[in-house]
């Protein structure tokens, strides 16, 4: 695709701008900012990836993954900022997800240990883990807020913090995992997933593209379950003090 | 009364939440096997006082002693099993009446037998047919009896009751009052009962505590209400009776 052809795709930006202006939605400014940011960010990423792929150095791969984890952590922590130490809890979760999944993929030589494979796969897995962490934290804080009386009841009857929070934790873990599991049930039927679409457009054999997509969706199942369970197990103890007392304002500021 | 007769002893207990002073320098004793009624206007700190006894919160100043031992010396789960609390609007868990009754033992990884469940229901005046009923569909009075019986499963020697009759009809109120008297006499349980109703406090209490603005302003046997010189307490009583 040439840059002239690419510039024609700006028609897709022009349509929402005209609609926003006509219907007085006041979204013109945000649309223009989003467009400019996406162009700049993606161009930078494109050149950075080209440099990293060409150099094929593990230091640059490590640097890129660290950058992804930092950006994902800073984004996800907004949803649980009242939970003490949430930043390092999310960072640790993302690191564990990356180590476990890449450990299996590279350790069993499922994919080659090159930047071309490690970076895009890490991006997808860390991104998914970030979304899962946000979904979990959203649901968990809401569950705790609306069930304070039940949590206090279990404590008052002699239950431990783990017993008191068990239902809320389980509900939040289940709720955050359901979208991943559900989307995989209709994969390929409703929409062609990103990796597969990209490879097919890039000229790859559709069967090879499907094989890669299967690898990704299986890995996503692991990242989803590790992310929500780990962030849950790390977060709930901060809602209680050493006397097993429920800290009422621990989930909101 | 001797120290040995004291079930709970408060020593200069204060409780603050942030800048807000909720309890101020409370000192006094709750006697074993007796019913102490706790009265006072909303926001006086009554519920906070009960939560301190059950260990749901800890004093920010001073100390309280259960059987001559500081609450801080007890392991929290042991303390809470020994001192039962029925909080106002305590939630009924989804499931059957039996599921709710089984909860305290389930938390200790023990199970409740059907016979034990029937026996505890009988204590609160509910028959065997209630066991498999959906707990969330009981009437207000039945739910309150269930929350009391659920707390009784732990066989606590001290029972803390927070306005357990405030939302009930007169017949249910009378039933609950008789039930609490029975529990007090039959099992020799020490009871602290928060109520807004001065009449109820005088009829049921062996002792009465009056709290206002986080302070214990009067305590003693029920005759203190007629003898009090405290203007605030006099106004409170006149507004209530």
């Amino acid at each position: 695709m040439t840059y002239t052809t690419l510039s024609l795709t700006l028609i897709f930006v022009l349509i929402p701008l005209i609609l926003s202006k006509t219907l007085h939605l006041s979204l013109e400014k945000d649309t223009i900012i989003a467009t400019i940011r996406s162009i700049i960010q993606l161009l930078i990423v494109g050149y950075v990836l080209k440099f990293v792929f060409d150099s094929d150095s593990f230091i640059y791969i490590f640097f890129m993954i660290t950058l992804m984890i930092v950006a994902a952590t800073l984004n996800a922590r907004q949803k649980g900022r009242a939970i003490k130490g949430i930043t390092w809890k999310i960072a640790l979760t993302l690191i564990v997800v990356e180590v476990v999944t890449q450990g299996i993929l590279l350790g069993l030589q499922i994919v080659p240990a090159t930047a071309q494979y490690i970076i895009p796969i890490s991006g997808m897995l860390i991104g998914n883990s970030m979304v899962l962490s946000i979904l979990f934290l959203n649901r968990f804080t809401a569950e705790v807020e609306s069930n304070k009386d039940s949590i206090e009841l279990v404590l008052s009857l002699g239950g431990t913090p783990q017993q008191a929070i068990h239902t809320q934790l389980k509900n939040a873990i289940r709720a955050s995992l359901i979208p991943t599991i559900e989307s995989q049930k209709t994969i390929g039927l409703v929409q062609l997933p990103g990796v597969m679409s990209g490879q097919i457009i890039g000229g790859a054999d559709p069967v090879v593209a499907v094989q890669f997509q299967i690898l990704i969706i299986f890995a996503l199942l692991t990242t989803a379950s590790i992310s929500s369970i780990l962030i849950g197990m790390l977060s709930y103890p901060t809602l209680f003090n050493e006397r097993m007392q429920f800290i009422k304002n621990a989930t909101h500021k | 009364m001797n120290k040995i007769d004291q079930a709970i002893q408060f020593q200069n207990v204060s409780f603050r939440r942030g800048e807000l002073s909720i309890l101020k320098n409370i000192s006094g004793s709750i006697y074993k096997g007796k019913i102490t009624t706790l009265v006072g206007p909303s926001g006086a700190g009554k519920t906070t006082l009960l939560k301190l006894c059950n260990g749901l919160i800890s004093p920010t100043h001073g100390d309280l002693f259960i059987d001559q031992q500081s609450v801080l010396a007890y392991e929290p789960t042991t303390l809470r099993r020994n001192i039962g609390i029925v909080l106002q609007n305590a939630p009924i868990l989804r499931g059957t009446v039996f599921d709710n009754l089984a909860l305290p033992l389930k938390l200790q990884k023990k199970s409740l037998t059907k016979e034990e469940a029937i026996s505890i229901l009988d204590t609160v005046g509910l028959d065997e047919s209630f066991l498999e009923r959906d707990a969330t569909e009981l009437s207000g009075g039945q739910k309150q009896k269930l929350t009391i019986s659920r707390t009784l499963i732990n066989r606590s020697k001290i029972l803390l009751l927070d306005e357990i009759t405030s939302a009930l009809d007169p017949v249910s109120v009378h039933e609950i009052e008789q039930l609490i008297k029975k529990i007090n006499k039959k099992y020799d349980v020490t009871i602290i009962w928060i109520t807004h109703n001065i009449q109820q406090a005088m009829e049921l209490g062996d002792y009465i505590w009056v709290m206002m603005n986080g302070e214990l302003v009067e305590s003693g046997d029920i005759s203190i209400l007629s003898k009090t010189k405290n203007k605030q307490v006099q106004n409170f009583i006149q507004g209530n009776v």
Side-chain angles (χ1 to χ4, degrees), chain B:
Chain B
M1 287 262 188
N2 296 322
K3 265 201 156 189
I4 200 92
D5 297 317
Q6 295 168 350
I8 307 175
Q9 195 190 3
F10 295 87
Q11 271 186 9
N12 308 314
V13 170
S14 297
F15 182 78
R16 296 179 72 87
R17 181 161 280 145
E19 292 299 300
L20 192 65
S21 184
I22 298 171
L23 291 179
K24 299 164 196 163
N25 216 26
I26 305 276
S27 293
S29 298
I30 301 293
Y31 295 105
K32 278 184 184 168
K34 303 290 180 190
I35 298 178
T36 302
T37 46
L38 185 50
V39 295
S42 297
K46 306 184 294 294
T47 302
T48 304
L49 196 77
L50 290 201
K51 287 186 176 179
L52 284 171
C53 299
N54 179 263
L56 284 173
I57 51 175
S58 298
T60 43
H61 182 261
D63 202 353
L64 66 147
F65 299 84
I66 312 283
D67 280 339
Q68 322 304 324
Q69 195 177 332
S70 166
V71 278
L72 296 173
Y74 288 90
E75 200 273 324
T77 55
T78 310
L79 174 74
R80 290 168 191 160
R81 281 170 201 154
N82 288 332
I83 300 176
I85 187 167
V86 183
L87 288 166
Q88 193 179 15
N89 304 323
I92 295 288
L93 303 182
R94 263 185 250 160
T96 62
V97 167
F98 183 85
D99 294 335
N100 273 270
L101 289 177
L103 176 66
L105 292 182
K106 199 174 154 193
L107 296 173
Q108 300 172 55
K109 300 188 169 47
K110 294 177 188 168
S111 49
L112 179 72
T113 65
K114 194 176 172 189
E115 290 68 34
E116 286 171 314
I118 294 168
S119 161
I120 209 87
L121 278 186
D122 183 58
T123 308
V124 298
L126 296 176
D127 64 48
E128 188 180 341
S129 68
F130 279 88
L131 266 189
E132 293 308 316
R133 280 180 60 177
D134 184 344
T136 57
E137 290 183 359
L138 299 177
S139 70
Q142 289 163 347
K143 277 184 183 164
Q144 201 58 274
K145 285 176 179 176
L146 176 58
T147 58
I148 295 166
S149 53
R150 186 174 58 191
T151 303
L152 290 176
I153 293 281
N154 277 335
R155 308 223 175 269
S156 315
K157 291 304 285 175
I158 299 174
L159 194 55
L160 314 168
L161 308 169
D162 188 1
E163 302 216 28
I164 55 169
T165 58
S166 61
L168 302 181
D169 60 82
V171 176
S172 301
V173 170
H174 181 70
E175 281 178 7
I176 299 277
E177 286 175 354
Q178 296 312 308
L179 165 67
I180 297 303
K181 275 186 186 173
K182 188 169 102 182
I183 292 166
N184 169 244
K185 293 283 173 272
K186 190 174 171 185
Y187 302 110
D188 197 30
V189 174
T190 305
I191 290 170
I192 307 181
W193 188 337
I194 293 180
T195 174
H196 261 114
N197 185 333
I198 294 278
Q199 208 67 45
Q200 189 181 50
M202 289 166 72
E203 279 172 21
L204 295 168
D206 298 304
Y207 295 95
I208 193 160
W209 281 28
V210 185
M211 288 183 68
M212 295 206 168
N213 301 319
E215 291 175 48
L216 178 61
V217 288
E218 287 288 2
S219 66
D221 61 46
I222 55 167
S223 66
I224 57 151
L225 289 185
S226 49
K227 292 182 209 157
T228 184
K229 300 268 189 291
N230 187 312
K231 281 274 175 219
Q232 268 186 306
V233 178
Q234 284 173 350
N235 290 339
F236 176 69
I237 296 166
Q238 280 161 10
N240 261 270
V241 177

